[in-house]
Structures are given as C-alpha cells and as structure tokens.
Amino acid sequence: MFPDAGPSKAVAIVIGGTTITIGLVSSVGQLDSRSRLATQPRDGFATAMARIEQSVEALCEADSVDPHAIAGIGIGCTGPVDTSTGVVVTDYTLPTWKGHSVTRYLSEAFQVPSVIANNADTAVLGEAFVRDALDQTVVLLTLGTGVGGGVVINGVNYKGAQGEHPEIGHILVRGDGPKCYCGSVGCLEMVASGSAIGASGRRAGFACAVEVFEQARLGDAHAKRIVDRAVQCTSRGVWTLLHTFLPDILIFGGGVMEAHYDLFAPTILAVLARATMVPLHAVSLAQAQPGNDAGLIGAALLLRRHLRASVM
Ligand SMILES: [Zn+2]
C-alpha cells in the first residue's frame, strides 16, 4: 500500500539519458497522466530544468491541479546521483548536469518537498508495487541508453556500502574488452547498452543502434554479430544476477529490452536452463511495464515514504 500522506497528487519524474517522463500519481499509487520530453542534456542543466518545470505546469493544468499544492516531487534519475543532496555526480550520461542539484532546483521552483533516487531503483520499486510483490525479492535489469538495474527486497531498495546503489551495468561479461569508462574492461554496459551497440554499429557502417537492430532482423551478418554479442553477454549477466539474488521475480526493462526482448529472451532462457544450483522453476521472468510507468509510480512511492518519515 502507498503510505497515507494526504490526498494530494504527487508529481513523479523519471530522467533518463534520452527521455524524461513526468507523471501525476494519486495518493493510492494510480498513475493519472503523463507526458514525455527529450532529455537533450547537452543543452545545459538550466535549460533542461526549465523545460521540466514547464511540462509539470502543463500536466498539472491539464489535470486541474495547482502545481504548488501537490504533495511533492519524486524523481528517478539516471547515473550516479547523491540522494541526500540531489546532485548529479558524473557527467557520463547527463553531460553538463554534473555538480547540479535536481531536487534543490525543483523544490525551489514549486516550493514543495522533493526526493531523488537512481532511476533503476524507482523502476524496480514501482515494478514490485504494481506486481503486488513488495514482500518478495525483485530484481530488474535495464538495457537502455546504458545498462543498470535495481533490487527490491521486502519492499525496500537494496543499498550497499555507504548507501550506494548496486552497479549492475559493470558486471564483467567478457575478459577481452571493450574498455569501460569505469576503468575496467568487458563490463556488460560496454557491450549491451544502446550506446555500445550504436558505437559498434558505427564502426561497421551503421548509423545508430536502431539501424543495427533493424539490419540484424533483416539478416545482415555484421549487424547480427553485434546483436548476438549483446545477447550472449546479457545472458551471462542475467546468470550472475540469478545466482546472486535468486529473486522471486527477474524483470527485463529499458528501451532496448522493450523493443527487442524477443531477440534476447530465447538465449537468456537457454542459458538459465543450465542452472542446477538454484530452483529456477520458482523464479518468474517478466518484461517491465511499458514506458516508464513503473518508474513513475516508484518515484511517487519514495516521495510518500519520505513525507511520512519526515512527519513522524
Ligand atoms: Zn565498467
């Protein structure tokens, strides 16, 4: 259940490397309306925030909600983000945003409380909520612009040392590269993210990741090799997640998975079928909710919990 924190609607925002989704979520966790805009991080932090502000106001106006009377703003944001200050920590996925606080800007703009978490954390929390699985172990792997994921155990996002979010995109899946921005070689993100597939595609003469997938489906050998490598490496990453967490539900999300799950699923299932040390039959595999709907609901749930904690 959503914590009872008043009847007002919450604004939920999911910031990805490519798209920002904004929604209004009721006090019982119902996503009432949503809008979408391109992130365009290179335009600068202030420009992006001004566009988010306009979109929130437009969404509220369309729903006859006073934007200054909302319960608050829950945010899921890509990339490492300091959840206590709202500051974006690196500029890898959001160039020009590094060092800026998303929560401070939006709280000041609307004069309401706000809370921020990694977008994979809000997504997996929302998935657990909509699947009525807040008392279970739920793991989400996202293949989108980057690769990430999150873990919910008994309704709470799993956090590691120093409260840090698990970095599922940096599970090693290849011993021989490619080099990752984290300093290592062979990380899952460097092979299976939309960015990595696009980069490999450009070296083979394709325009972007979308074209690589299109051509792979048409049987082009170069494109198929790039996609097959992404699929194989993803299967290794999923094997690691299965054996580490043995989740009740293992969910696949992100833009790449939403569009191309059919290309990944057969190999993932074939690899997982070799598992003999875990009760695979007890693990449900699922595709994430379409769009960022679960992420929006998860962001609103985090906000409700934050508000409840601050009045107790
Ligand atoms: Zn890495």
Side-chain angles (χ1 to χ4, degrees):
M1 281 291 288
F2 257 48
D4 181 16
S8 310
K9 292 190 181 188
V11 166
I13 304 175
V14 173
I15 300 169
T18 308
T19 306
I20 296 170
T21 315
I22 302 173
L24 283 174
V25 181
S26 78
S27 57
V28 292
Q30 172 87 35
L31 178 60
D32 289 336
S33 56
R34 77 170 89 66
S35 66
R36 205 169 255 242
L37 57 150
T39 310
Q40 296 175 333
R42 291 183 193 284
D43 290 353
F45 176 77
T47 304
M49 287 301 116
R51 288 167 58 237
I52 289 176
E53 211 179 320
Q54 285 169 4
S55 294
V56 169
E57 283 168 356
L59 200 64
C60 286
E61 193 180 327
D63 210 3
S64 303
V65 171
D66 176 357
H68 298 282
I70 55 174
I73 305 173
I75 305 154
C77 185
T78 181
V81 56
D82 182 332
T83 54
S84 60
T85 61
V87 169
V88 177
V89 178
T90 74
D91 55 9
Y92 179 74
T93 30
L94 295 168
T96 76
W97 288 36
K98 183 180 174 184
H100 293 283
S101 171
V102 178
T103 47
R104 188 166 63 203
Y105 183 98
L106 292 173
S107 275
E108 283 176 6
F110 291 99
Q111 294 294 304
V112 294
S114 63
V115 66
I116 195 165
N118 181 286
N119 60 341
D121 278 344
T122 53
V124 70
L125 187 59
E127 292 284 350
F129 176 80
V130 299
R131 291 168 195 278
D132 199 17
L134 285 175
D135 58 349
Q136 298 184 342
T137 298
V138 182
V139 171
L140 169 69
L141 171 68
T142 57
L143 264 59
T145 310
V147 171
V151 180
V152 161
I153 301 172
N154 292 329
V156 178
N157 284 116
Y158 169 77
K159 298 283 176 61
Q162 295 188 329
E164 292 291 334
H165 167 88
E167 288 293 339
I168 290 172
H170 300 275
I171 290 175
L172 294 183
V173 291
R174 282 176 61 124
D176 58 347
K179 199 165 181 356
C180 180
Y181 63 91
C182 79
S184 187
V185 291
C187 296
L188 179 58
E189 178 159 333
M190 288 300 106
V191 188
S193 66
S195 302
I197 292 166
S200 297
R202 281 188 288 279
R203 286 193 291 277
F206 302 109
C208 58
V210 172
E211 192 184 342
V212 173
F213 279 107
E214 276 172 9
Q215 291 302 316
R217 287 183 183 278
L218 293 171
D220 180 276
H222 293 298
K224 277 187 75 170
R225 200 173 308 132
I226 295 167
V227 171
D228 285 348
R229 190 177 59 177
V231 170
Q232 290 290 344
C233 289
T234 300
S235 302
R236 283 182 210 140
V238 173
W239 173 272
T240 299
L241 291 173
L242 173 76
H243 286 80
T244 305
F245 293 104
L246 187 53
D248 297 289
I249 311 176
L250 180 49
I251 302 171
F252 303 98
V256 170
M257 274 295 185
E258 191 171 332
H260 304 293
Y261 183 69
D262 61 315
L263 297 180
F264 285 80
T267 305
I268 290 172
L269 290 172
V271 169
L272 294 192
R274 294 183 212 133
T276 57
M277 301 302 289
V278 294
L280 185 65
H281 61 88
V283 179
S284 301
L285 304 183
Q287 265 192 285
Q289 308 288 314
N292 287 320
D293 289 6
L296 292 171
I297 291 167
L301 177 53
L302 268 191
L303 174 79
R304 299 283 178 187
R305 287 178 174 175
H306 172 75
L307 295 175
R308 187 177 59 171
S310 45
V311 295
M312 284 174 82

